[in-house]
């Protein structure tokens, strides 16, 4: 028991000593005065503290936005560069104002969904080097739906001739939503035409010469081409083009027809020239034979007259007989070589028609690369050729006999032959 009380007394004594020692240490800590040792930076760089870099405005809306800087704004000047029409700023306080009037967009001075980059600046009036240059963007939008339109590059009514090529573009005036596809419709069946499927494509169609029928009134044929444009929301716009096709001359075909009729005339003329040569040959042979008989008859009669003046009786008697011989030769001449009246008339007729054909061909020669009177000239040459063929139907046509065109022309134009068939004055 006594030991226990001694231990308790020792513990109490140690606690008292420890508590006293601790209080003495706290009392000895000095209290230092409070001082600010962290440096404070002063904001001296010019800044725009409330700049909005992007403005999105609806049509017919207003904008009032007051810009501010980190310094006294009374000593600074505000300005804009490259600003869209209607956008203003107060040079003294930096108030941006704008009224997005619809007239600006209808006149084309402003456009929807186009970003306008506006240069913005603020300048110290006393210190030129103290300034800020920056920019912001303005975009205008419209909630009204504008339908896209199709615009053909030709008028709504087009007049064109057969043989020409119908060619034009279909352009698009895009509205709120662009045209994505175009459908081409024609109210008459057409062949080999290029349809339009997208904007700025070209419609092509070569018009055939037989497009206008004989039953079409006024020698014209009218049809309509419809172009239907559709956007992604199936909004439609239709453009109509009325085409009037006039009947026109198929010149390439008519030129072939003209060359063919000229070739037929040349072949027929060669046949006529050889026929003329053969007829003239018969007439010339008969004429030579009859001339021989005439000379013999005349010589006999003259010889008889000479012998009748002789003194010899035998010569006188022979002179009396000789005229009778001359008279006898006349019926012999008619029997042996009768006059070739038919051949001579036929030769003259053939020669006349050859000259006639030559004149018709020269008079109806083409006057240029595209003679507008080619059809009339073809009909005239064909008509003359038909009349001559009917007129000479009784005269048998003879082949050229192997003679060339140059040889026949040389014979036909021979001066002696021309003189024989030339009209005499007496």
């Amino acid at each position: 028991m006594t030991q226990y009380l001694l231990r308790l007394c020792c513990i109490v004594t140690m606690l008292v000593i420890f508590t006293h020692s601790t209080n003495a240490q706290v009392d000895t800590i000095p209290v230092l005065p409070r001082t600010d040792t962290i440096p404070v930076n002063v904001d001296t760089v010019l800044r725009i503290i409330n700049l909005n870099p992007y403005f999105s405005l609806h049509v017919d809306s207003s904008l009032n936005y007051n810009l501010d800087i980190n310094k006294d704004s009374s000593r600074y000047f505000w300005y804009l560069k490259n600003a869209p029409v209607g956008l203003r700023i107060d040079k003294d306080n930096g108030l941006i104002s704008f009224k997005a009037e619809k007239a600006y967009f209808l006149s084309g001075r402003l456009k929807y969904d186009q970003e306008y980059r506006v240069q913005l600046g603020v300048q110290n009036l006393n210190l030129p080097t103290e300034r800020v240059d920056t920019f912001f963007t303005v975009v205008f939008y419209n909630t009204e739906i504008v339908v896209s339109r199709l615009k053909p590059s030709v008028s709504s009514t087009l007049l064109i001739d057969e043989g020409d090529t119908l060619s034009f573009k279909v352009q698009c005036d895009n509205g709120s939503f662009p045209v994505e596809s175009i459908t081409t419709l024609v109210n008459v069946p057409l062949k080999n035409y290029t349809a339009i499927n997208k904007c700025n494509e070209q419609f092509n169609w070569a018009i055939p010469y037989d497009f206008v029928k004989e039953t079409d009134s006024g020698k014209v044929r009218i049809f309509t081409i419809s172009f239907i444009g559709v956007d992604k929301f199936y909004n439609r716009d239709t453009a109509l083009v009325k085409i009037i096709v006039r009947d026109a001359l198929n010149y390439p075909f008519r030129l072939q027809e003209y060359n063919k009729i000229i070739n037929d005339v040349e072949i027929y003329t060669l046949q006529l020239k050889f026929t003329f040569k053969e007829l003239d040959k018969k007439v010339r042979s008969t004429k030579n034979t009859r001339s021989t008989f005439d000379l013999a008859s005349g010589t006999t009669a003259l010889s008889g007259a000479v012998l009748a003046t002789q003194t010899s009786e035998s010569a006188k008697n022979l002179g009396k007989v000789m005229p009778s011989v001359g008279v006898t030769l006349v019926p012999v001449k008619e029997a042996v070589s009768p006059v070739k009246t038919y051949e001579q008339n036929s030769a003259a007729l053939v020669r006349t028609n050859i000259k006639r054909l030559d004149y018709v061909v020269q008079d109806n020669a083409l006057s240029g690369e595209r003679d507008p009177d080619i059809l009339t000239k073809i009909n005239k040459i064909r008509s003359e050729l038909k009349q001559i063929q009917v007129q000479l139907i009784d005269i048998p046509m003879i082949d050229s006999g192997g003679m060339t065109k140059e040889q026949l022309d040389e014979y036909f134009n021979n001066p002696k032959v021309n003189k024989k068939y030339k009209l005499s004055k007496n």
Side-chain angles (χ1 to χ4, degrees):
M1 184 66 180
T2 304
Q3 293 178 357
Y4 177 77
L5 292 174
L6 290 174
R7 290 179 181 176
L8 181 61
C9 290
C10 290
I11 293 172
V12 173
T13 303
M14 291 178 63
L15 290 173
V16 173
I17 294 171
F18 178 77
T19 303
H20 179 72
S21 175
T22 303
N23 292 334
Q25 290 179 1
V26 172
D27 293 338
T28 59
I29 297 174
V31 179
L32 298 176
R34 183 177 178 181
T35 59
D36 295 333
T37 59
I38 299 175
V40 177
N41 294 327
V42 180
D43 188 4
T44 59
V45 180
L46 178 62
R47 292 182 295 106
I48 303 175
I49 60 177
N50 64 338
L51 176 63
N52 187 353
Y54 198 89
F55 293 95
S56 181
L57 299 178
H58 183 264
V59 179
D60 290 333
S61 63
S62 299
L63 172 66
N64 290 289
Y65 189 81
N66 196 357
L67 297 173
D68 196 8
I69 57 177
N70 61 340
K71 294 188 178 183
D72 183 10
S73 61
S74 62
R75 295 186 292 111
Y76 290 86
F77 174 83
W78 296 86
Y79 58 90
L80 295 177
K81 291 182 180 179
N82 198 28
V85 59
L87 183 63
R88 301 178 180 87
I89 189 171
D90 193 320
K91 63 181 181 61
D92 297 324
N93 56 17
L95 177 62
I96 297 177
S97 60
F98 181 75
K99 173 64 176 176
E101 296 182 2
K102 198 170 184 178
Y104 293 151
F105 301 91
L106 295 177
S107 62
R109 302 180 68 182
L110 291 179
K111 296 183 179 179
Y112 303 117
D113 300 326
Q114 178 175 332
E115 294 186 352
Y116 293 92
R117 182 169 175 171
V118 184
Q119 301 293 330
L120 169 67
V122 58
Q123 170 74 54
N124 191 324
L125 296 175
N126 299 321
L127 185 59
T129 58
E130 187 179 17
R131 59 184 293 177
V132 172
D133 287 316
T134 183
F135 69 91
F136 62 92
T137 304
V138 180
V139 175
F140 305 99
Y141 66 93
N142 187 15
T143 58
E144 179 183 356
I145 297 177
V146 180
V147 180
S148 299
R149 301 295 181 184
L150 300 182
K151 297 170 59 178
S153 60
V154 293
S155 61
S156 58
T157 303
L158 191 62
L159 185 63
I160 194 169
D161 295 330
E162 286 183 334
D164 295 337
T165 299
L166 179 63
S167 178
F168 60 88
K169 283 186 177 182
V170 174
Q171 302 169 344
C172 298
D173 189 3
N174 291 326
S176 302
F177 307 102
V179 175
E180 292 192 349
S181 64
I182 299 176
T183 303
T184 303
L185 300 178
V186 186
N187 63 350
V188 296
L190 300 182
K191 296 181 180 179
N192 301 324
Y193 71 92
T194 304
I196 292 180
N197 299 316
K198 295 182 180 180
C199 297
N200 295 322
E201 288 188 348
Q202 192 153 343
F203 181 89
N204 291 310
W205 178 51
I207 306 176
Y209 282 100
D210 57 348
F211 182 73
V212 180
K213 307 301 180 182
E214 295 182 356
T215 56
D216 294 331
S217 61
K219 295 297 182 179
V220 296
R221 191 174 184 184
I222 303 174
F223 65 96
T224 303
I225 305 176
S226 302
F227 301 100
I228 304 175
V230 181
D231 59 19
K232 63 180 179 180
F233 293 106
Y234 297 99
N235 296 312
R236 296 186 177 184
D237 182 62
T238 302
L240 302 178
V241 179
K242 183 179 179 181
I243 308 298
I244 303 175
V245 181
R246 296 182 299 190
D247 185 24
L249 179 66
N250 187 352
Y251 195 83
F253 174 76
R254 296 302 180 183
L255 183 60
Q256 293 180 359
E257 187 178 6
Y258 178 84
N259 293 332
K260 182 179 182 302
I261 194 66
I262 293 297
N263 185 58
D264 293 342
V265 170
E266 290 179 352
I267 294 175
Y268 188 68
T269 301
L270 289 178
Q271 293 177 350
L272 290 180
K273 286 182 179 180
F274 190 78
T275 302
F276 168 77
K277 177 180 176 299
E278 296 298 321
L279 292 173
D280 183 67
K281 184 178 179 180
K282 292 180 180 180
V283 172
R284 184 175 55 188
S285 176
T286 301
K287 183 178 180 180
N288 292 336
T289 303
R290 293 176 65 86
S291 298
T292 301
F293 273 101
D294 291 339
L295 290 175
S297 177
T299 301
T300 303
L302 180 61
S303 300
V306 172
L307 292 174
T309 59
Q310 300 294 324
T311 56
S312 173
E313 289 295 330
S314 60
K316 289 182 179 181
N317 293 332
L318 184 60
K320 294 177 181 180
V321 175
M322 292 296 290
S324 301
V325 175
V327 173
T328 305
L329 289 177
V330 174
V332 175
K333 177 186 70 173
E334 295 295 335
V336 173
S337 180
V339 178
K340 300 289 184 178
T341 305
Y342 174 78
E343 286 79 1
Q344 187 171 0
N345 293 337
S346 297
L349 182 61
V350 169
R351 183 180 179 85
T352 301
N353 286 313
I354 292 174
K355 294 286 188 180
R356 181 179 174 184
L357 282 176
D358 291 341
Y359 172 77
V360 169
V361 171
Q362 293 177 5
D363 187 56
N364 293 280
L366 298 180
S367 59
E369 294 183 356
R370 296 185 68 89
D371 192 342
D373 299 328
I374 185 172
L375 185 60
T376 304
K377 294 179 179 180
I378 290 174
N379 293 333
K380 286 184 179 180
I381 296 175
R382 183 183 287 113
S383 177
E384 291 294 333
L385 178 61
K386 182 65 68 176
Q387 290 180 8
I388 292 174
Q389 288 175 339
V390 172
Q391 188 177 7
L392 301 180
I393 192 171
D394 292 336
I395 300 176
M397 294 293 104
I398 304 175
D399 195 7
S400 61
M403 296 183 67
T404 62
K405 179 178 181 300
E406 290 74 16
Q407 291 174 339
L408 291 174
D409 289 340
E410 182 180 0
Y411 180 85
F412 185 79
N413 297 321
N414 190 295
K416 294 182 179 180
V417 178
N418 289 335
K419 184 178 180 181
K420 185 190 305 184
Y421 292 94
K422 186 175 180 182
L423 182 64
S424 59
K425 294 181 180 181
N426 298 325

